[in-house]
Amino acid sequence: MTWEGADTGGASALTVLELLAQQAPPHRFEELLRQARRSGASAAELAELERAVELAGGIHSSFSRREQREAGLAALVDTARDLTFPYDLDSLLRVITQRARRLLDFDMAYVSLRGGSGASYIHSTEGSKTGLSTGLRVLDGRGLGGEAQAGDAPAWTSDYLNDDRFPHCEAIDEVVRMEGLHAVMAVPLRNGDASVGALYGADRRIRHYTPDELGLMCSLADLAAVAIEKAGLLDQTRAEVTELELDSSRARTTLTRMRHVSEAHSRIMNLVLAGGDLCNVAKAAGDALDGAVMIRDPGGRSLASSLPTGGELPGLDEEAVAKASLDAHAGRRPVVTGDNTWVAPVIAGSEDLGVLVTRPTTGLTAEDERLLELAAQSVAFLLLMQRSTAVAEGPVRDELLDDLLADPQHSPHQIVQRARRLGIDLRKPHVLVVARPEGGEQGRAVVWASSYAYRMSGLKTVQGGCIVLLLPGLDASAAARAVSGELSPLLGHPVSVGSAGPGWSPDSAGRMYREATRCLDAMSALGAGGSAASVQDLGFLGLLLSDDHDVDGFIESAIGPVLDYDAERFTDLTRTLEAYFASGGSPTNAAEALHVHPNTVSRRLERIGELLGAEWQKPGQVLEVQLALRLQRTRDVLAQQRGLEHARQPVDRTAS
């Protein structure tokens, strides 16, 4: 429609209304005014038309603002819907800055939150060109954010760096300068009555924000504050759920381990109650602890082991184990050494029964330590059971050993049968040990002897104030040392121990008892009370004390290596020794007697020292060497005489 077709003021107003109804752009209204001026309209008509165009422009602006608000509200509704999703805090803050930037057409948006110390830190940015550092601290009360949070209202500026209405922060000013920002808006993020941070929007041009834009930003900030609180609660809930899951996993693991401890302890106790021995208990404990286990007595000697050979743990640091044993008994709990060797005390009340030593393949957990304690308790229970059994069977065992030592001895066949019923085979090698406590009461020693004899599958009795033990084995010296090493610490005072053997039949017990008693008396006469020795340990005194006068054994122990060397290499070391002693220990005189050079005698004496040991010329050993040489010479002479007598006997030629 053109002005030429409108011949009245109403027609012109109608034209404006038609353009307004068509939502024509502003230049169409300006064109309408220009046509009216060109057509020669009167001043009144132009004034009326200009007024109509002005009103139409106001209506058009109002419609535009309404559309903008509707678009903003729609975007705000979409944002509210997005914020209902279960974001973690970092993801939520990124969504908020992205929405704020798009909603109000900012060049840049970012969020600051208060930390635990009260200071505010930049947490998320959108649209940064210089990489605004997340974690940048914003001083309290500084910048637009501080003013917005302090006044609980939005704050903005069209040109940040040139606006002195608020206190500046040098760090933030530097970021604004680097980003090239001018207009900045900040609105507080509030959670109830408390401020949790601020939401920022910024432009790289001078911009005057309208009240509608400020209101829209405040609405977004309110939604963001609620979402931030929800995200914080969600993160806290997730953390609590994770911790609960960890606690549940730990509880299940602990329950599984405790079930394993209970089952393993039940197996060990069932083994004990079923009559299992220490070796079986050690193997069961080793299987449960996944490692080698060794049971030791109070003296440190091995009673049982889970190793296939039944021996000691390889590479054991005995000094560290001894210290750990003291600490374990003092604290009444297992103690670990530096090489992952654990030592658990085997105790009954205040009585020390020994230790349980184990070296697991991996480190022990708290539940494994508890299992180690229970295994040690099971061993203590088994030792007490063995002691009780030994005490109960004590009279029967005592009577059997008394009968073995009786003179004359009872029926050997009957004695063998009685021993077999007690699980003892007298036809196997045995040694006899006589122990005499030097002071103190005898009762505790007798109880220990009953348990020890039962544990070692031997017999025990008491005669003449001494404990008598008949034990399986071949080494009388080792048996004496073992008894002394265990009984002396138990009583707290010295114990003299003498031993003899071995013997292979029931009737040898009486002979071994007499020899062990003589050995004990000889030790007392020599001032060696409180020590342990066998007849063999006493050298030529043992030869004199022995009933069977084992000359061959004495000669072998004193000069056997020299005799063997001469026999194998056809040397004269034995004759050199005789000449050396006959000459008063002079190598020169011995060389003259042997018709050899003195250096030859010296070399032979050095060889003898290698064979008999470096201390062979000390008084005690040299006496035994001389006595053995005399016995050997005498035996050779007697053998030659018997050979000559046999050669002189006439041959009986009457035999057919």
Side-chain angles (χ1 to χ4, degrees):
M1 179 180 293
T2 62
W3 178 256
E4 286 78 10
D7 52 357
T8 65
S12 63
L14 180 61
T15 303
V16 171
L17 289 175
E18 288 178 350
L19 290 174
L20 186 61
Q22 295 172 6
Q23 296 183 353
H27 73 272
R28 294 284 302 278
F29 293 94
E30 295 296 331
E31 183 182 355
L32 183 63
L33 285 175
R34 285 195 299 272
Q35 290 178 356
R37 292 187 185 101
R38 285 196 301 268
S39 64
S42 64
E45 291 173 341
L46 285 174
E48 181 181 359
L49 183 59
E50 289 175 353
R51 176 60 178 164
V53 169
E54 180 183 358
L55 292 175
I59 294 172
H60 188 275
S61 297
S62 178
F63 284 159
S64 297
R65 287 195 299 273
R66 180 176 298 175
E67 289 176 354
Q68 186 178 5
R69 283 197 300 270
E70 289 177 351
L73 291 175
L76 195 62
V77 171
D78 292 340
T79 301
R81 183 176 63 253
D82 288 345
L83 295 182
T84 59
F85 296 142
Y87 296 106
D88 59 80
L89 183 59
D90 291 337
S91 300
L92 175 66
L93 293 178
R94 285 196 296 271
V95 171
I96 291 173
T97 54
Q98 291 169 0
R99 284 290 184 176
R101 187 183 177 203
R102 289 199 296 268
L103 191 61
L104 294 174
D105 195 24
F106 291 126
D107 291 327
M108 178 178 169
Y110 56 97
V111 174
S112 69
L113 294 180
R114 286 186 179 274
S117 60
S120 296
Y121 298 88
I122 301 298
H123 271 259
S124 180
T125 63
E126 178 72 20
S128 173
K129 290 184 177 180
T130 62
L132 177 61
S133 176
T134 300
L136 178 66
R137 180 176 178 180
V138 182
L139 296 178
D140 293 342
R142 299 297 183 95
L144 283 178
E147 184 175 347
Q149 294 180 69
D152 193 20
W156 67 277
T157 176
S158 60
D159 195 354
Y160 185 90
L161 294 177
N162 297 319
D163 195 339
D164 297 330
R165 293 176 302 164
F166 51 85
H168 285 252
C169 171
E170 182 58 33
I172 296 299
D173 286 359
E174 181 63 23
V175 171
V176 171
R177 194 176 293 111
M178 292 175 62
E179 290 284 348
L181 300 177
H182 287 277
V184 179
M185 178 195 301
V187 293
L189 297 171
R190 304 198 62 81
N191 181 11
D193 296 332
S195 174
V196 298
L199 174 61
Y200 296 84
D203 289 281
R204 294 183 175 88
R205 67 186 187 280
I206 295 176
R207 175 179 174 181
H208 296 272
Y209 298 111
T210 66
D212 289 340
E213 292 172 335
L214 292 174
L216 191 60
M217 191 71 164
C218 288
S219 298
L220 178 60
D222 291 340
L223 290 174
V226 173
I228 289 171
E229 179 185 8
K230 183 194 71 173
L233 293 175
L234 184 60
D235 286 347
Q236 180 180 354
T237 302
R238 284 172 176 164
E240 292 175 353
V241 169
T242 301
E243 185 64 27
L244 289 174
E245 290 176 347
L246 289 175
D247 290 342
S248 177
S249 177
R250 295 190 195 103
R252 287 194 299 270
T253 302
T254 301
L255 182 60
T256 301
R257 289 175 176 170
M258 291 303 297
R259 186 181 296 113
H260 168 70
V261 170
S262 176
E263 292 174 352
H265 183 228
S266 296
R267 287 195 299 271
I268 294 174
M269 284 304 300
N270 289 336
L271 189 62
V272 171
L273 296 175
D277 57 12
L278 286 175
C279 288
N280 292 330
V281 172
K283 290 177 181 177
D287 292 340
L289 294 170
D290 192 22
V293 169
M294 183 173 60
I295 301 171
R296 287 185 167 183
D297 64 12
R301 285 170 297 278
S302 177
L303 299 177
S305 173
S306 65
L307 295 173
T309 58
E312 300 277 337
L313 293 174
L316 201 60
D317 187 347
E318 292 295 346
E319 184 177 351
V321 170
K323 182 179 181 302
S325 298
L326 294 176
D327 294 340
H329 280 92
R332 304 178 73 86
R333 58 176 178 79
V335 175
V336 63
T337 65
D339 61 348
N340 196 36
T341 299
W342 286 81
V343 180
V346 179
I347 50 180
S350 59
E351 184 178 358
D352 175 12
L353 299 177
V355 291
L356 190 151
V357 183
T358 181
R359 183 182 294 158
T361 55
T362 58
L364 295 186
T365 64
E367 292 77 14
D368 294 332
E369 290 185 39
R370 178 57 181 162
L371 178 56
L372 180 58
E373 290 185 52
L374 294 174
Q377 291 178 6
S378 300
V379 172
F381 182 66
L382 178 56
L383 291 175
L384 291 178
M385 285 180 59
Q386 290 180 348
R387 180 186 298 177
S388 300
T389 303
V391 171
E393 295 182 354
V396 178
R397 290 175 174 266
D398 290 357
E399 290 177 3
L400 176 58
L401 185 52
D402 287 337
D403 291 342
L404 282 170
L405 301 180
D407 188 18
Q409 193 180 90
H410 297 285
S411 171
H413 179 71
Q414 186 180 19
I415 287 178
V416 169
Q417 288 182 337
R418 289 166 59 191
R420 187 179 294 115
R421 285 195 293 270
L422 293 175
I424 298 172
D425 188 355
L426 295 175
R427 292 170 297 183
K428 292 183 178 181
H430 283 73
V431 296
L432 191 134
V433 179
V434 179
R436 181 174 62 211
E438 304 294 345
E441 64 174 81
Q442 193 183 54
R444 192 173 186 185
V446 173
V447 173
W448 170 87
S450 298
S451 175
Y452 187 79
Y454 181 84
R455 195 167 74 229
M456 303 300 293
S457 300
L459 297 174
K460 157 260 167 188
T461 189
V462 178
Q463 291 197 1
C466 297
I467 296 171
V468 182
L469 296 167
L470 184 67
L471 305 172
L474 291 167
D475 193 339
S477 299
R481 290 192 298 269
V483 170
S484 176
E486 189 166 331
L487 185 55
S488 294
L490 177 66
L491 300 181
H493 53 75
V495 177
S496 299
V497 183
S499 63
W504 280 266
S505 62
D507 56 4
S508 63
R511 173 185 59 81
M512 291 189 295
Y513 174 67
R514 291 190 295 272
E515 291 180 6
T517 304
R518 292 172 195 157
C519 179
L520 198 61
D521 294 339
M523 291 166 54
S524 299
L526 294 173
S531 57
S534 68
V535 172
Q536 290 80 3
D537 295 330
L538 298 181
F540 73 92
L541 287 177
L543 177 65
L544 298 176
L545 297 174
S546 174
D547 281 348
D548 58 4
H549 303 298
D550 185 11
V551 177
D552 290 340
F554 174 72
I555 293 175
E556 176 63 28
S557 64
I559 61 172
V562 175
L563 297 176
D564 294 340
Y565 192 89
D566 282 347
E568 293 173 359
R569 293 172 175 81
F570 303 103
T571 54
D572 287 329
L573 297 184
T574 304
R575 198 158 65 92
T576 301
L577 268 177
E578 292 175 338
Y580 176 71
F581 289 127
S583 63
S586 171
T588 302
N589 295 336
E592 292 178 358
L594 295 171
H595 306 291
V596 295
H597 194 277
N599 290 341
T600 302
V601 174
S602 297
R603 286 195 299 272
R604 290 178 180 178
L605 292 176
E606 290 177 0
R607 176 65 64 185
I608 291 169
E610 294 175 0
L611 295 172
L612 299 183
E615 299 182 353
W616 73 275
Q617 295 194 63
K618 288 192 174 182
Q621 189 170 349
V622 78
L623 178 60
E624 294 189 0
V625 171
Q626 293 184 64
L627 181 58
L629 288 171
R630 296 287 182 90
L631 291 172
Q632 177 67 14
R633 175 62 62 189
T634 302
R635 191 168 61 174
D636 289 344
V637 171
L638 293 176
Q640 291 175 4
Q641 291 178 355
R642 285 195 296 269
L644 291 174
E645 292 176 358
H646 179 73
R648 294 194 193 102
Q649 291 179 359
V651 179
D652 187 3
R653 299 182 182 278
T654 62
S656 56

